[in-house]
Amino acid sequence: VQKYPADYNGIVVGGHAAHLTRQIFGQLWLWQATHPNGVAILPAAKLRVIHNAVLNKCDMLDGVKDGLLEDPIRCAFDPKEIECKSGDAPGCLTAPQVEAAQKIYAGPTNPRTKEKIWSPLYGGSELDWSFFSEAAAPIGIATSALRVILDDPTWDYRTSPVDFDRHVALADTSAIARVSASNPDISDYVRRGGKLILSGGWNNALVPAGAVLDYYKSVEARIGIDDTRGAVRPYMVPGMIECNGGPGTDTFDMLSVMQRWVERGEAPNDVPASRVEHGKVVRTR
């Protein structure tokens, strides 16, 4: 869409891992938040405690108690609400665990400028946190990319802390930045009549939902609301994690939706989605 606008008439994007040089800092932030001093502090049982607390507070905001948050942005949950009165216990969080969860919901920020570096994770995603909270080290693509950015193949997060100010600035101007697809100016693509569908899961902890929403908003700001709405549609799926999975209705056909948009001029509106368990559809939305 950004670099080769003449190649396709319609593109469906899922798993919006497009801005690599910022995403890696999001992933490093998550690992560090759950591993102060390199020690894991949020076991799976505590993720379930946080998740249940989020649902107890926010599940009914959409009027239906179904184990899903329709719009997690509306959920004003503070992990401090379930902090243990003293010590530790199975149904509450210790002070360090509260702080870790707060960092995850806040997302990475520049300590000097307070700039938002990458999307936070949203309420409802807690059961997907295990991919970093239980990992022995940060995800490999993040550490490998930062070694390239720093031009230091020996860089080690254990002895040289991530600098969420200086390292981010280096990443934005490094040679590796060319692999990021973060340019919101898709005017050439739109001018040719190209269509774009952005799809993502609200519960995704690997590529957070904000990565999709922020890109959509940046396109609106760059090419204008009317041109954006005539060519781009964002679809956020409640409960879905990375591309599929999670408790949501993660089975849907965006390709046929795009085909009708491109070939017949039928702009998409509602898209039917199903929840399939053991080969059977158990619910739709």
Side-chain angles (χ1 to χ4, degrees):
V1 171
Q2 297 170 17
K3 295 184 179 180
Y4 307 101
D7 282 9
Y8 290 91
N9 302 109
I11 292 176
V12 178
V13 177
H16 195 268
H19 198 169
L20 178 74
T21 50
R22 286 301 180 98
Q23 179 173 310
I24 62 170
F25 290 100
Q27 293 167 339
L28 289 164
W29 177 274
L30 296 173
W31 190 87
Q32 289 191 354
T34 55
H35 293 76
N37 302 313
V39 179
I41 63 167
L42 270 182
K46 290 301 182 87
L47 299 185
R48 174 63 69 177
V49 169
I50 304 170
H51 184 67
N52 288 345
V54 168
L55 293 183
N56 287 339
K57 181 165 188 177
C58 299
D59 192 356
M60 281 297 293
L61 288 177
D62 55 15
V64 181
K65 191 173 182 61
D66 56 1
L68 301 173
L69 304 189
E70 180 77 18
D71 181 3
I73 292 177
R74 294 175 58 200
C75 182
F77 170 74
D78 185 345
K80 198 165 183 64
E81 297 170 24
I82 53 172
E83 185 173 359
C84 300
K85 302 300 182 186
S86 64
D88 194 3
C92 58
L93 302 182
T94 64
Q97 289 169 341
V98 167
E99 183 180 357
Q102 287 174 330
K103 287 180 178 178
I104 291 167
Y105 291 133
T109 56
N110 184 306
R112 178 178 57 85
T113 66
K114 309 307 177 186
E115 176 207 1
K116 173 182 173 183
I117 295 172
W118 192 238
S119 168
L121 303 189
Y122 293 95
S125 67
E126 298 79 21
L127 301 185
D128 200 34
W129 294 2
S130 58
F131 97 85
F132 57 85
S133 65
E134 297 181 5
I139 191 170
I141 192 172
T143 53
S144 297
L146 195 49
R147 284 172 181 148
V148 175
I149 291 163
L150 300 177
D151 193 22
D152 181 4
T154 66
W155 176 80
D156 191 325
Y157 64 93
R158 290 167 294 194
T159 56
S160 180
V162 179
D163 186 331
F164 289 93
D165 181 5
R166 187 175 63 87
H167 288 173
V168 174
L170 286 172
D172 286 343
T173 58
S174 69
I176 206 173
R178 71 186 64 183
V179 306
S180 292
S182 53
N183 182 4
D185 186 0
I186 58 171
S187 53
D188 287 346
Y189 182 73
V190 171
R191 195 177 300 116
R192 294 186 63 259
K195 308 299 183 186
L196 176 65
I197 289 177
L198 304 171
S199 177
W202 274 117
N203 282 16
N204 194 347
L206 186 62
V207 183
V212 184
L213 298 174
D214 290 346
Y215 181 71
Y216 179 80
K217 292 172 184 174
S218 70
V219 171
E220 271 192 339
R222 185 60 181 264
I223 70 172
I225 292 176
D226 291 342
D227 283 349
T228 301
R229 294 184 180 175
V232 187
R233 290 284 193 279
Y235 286 91
M236 302 308 300
V237 186
M240 190 175 79
I241 54 176
E242 173 73 0
C243 297
N244 54 57
T249 48
D250 63 346
T251 300
F252 46 86
D253 182 5
M254 285 294 184
L255 189 59
S256 293
V257 172
M258 177 59 79
Q259 190 172 2
R260 290 191 294 272
W261 198 7
V262 169
E263 296 182 2
R264 303 180 199 169
E266 298 175 6
N269 193 12
D270 294 342
V271 176
S274 303
R275 173 73 181 171
V276 180
E277 296 179 359
H278 309 294
K280 285 188 174 183
V281 174
V282 296
R283 70 175 183 272
T284 60
R285 63 180 296 129

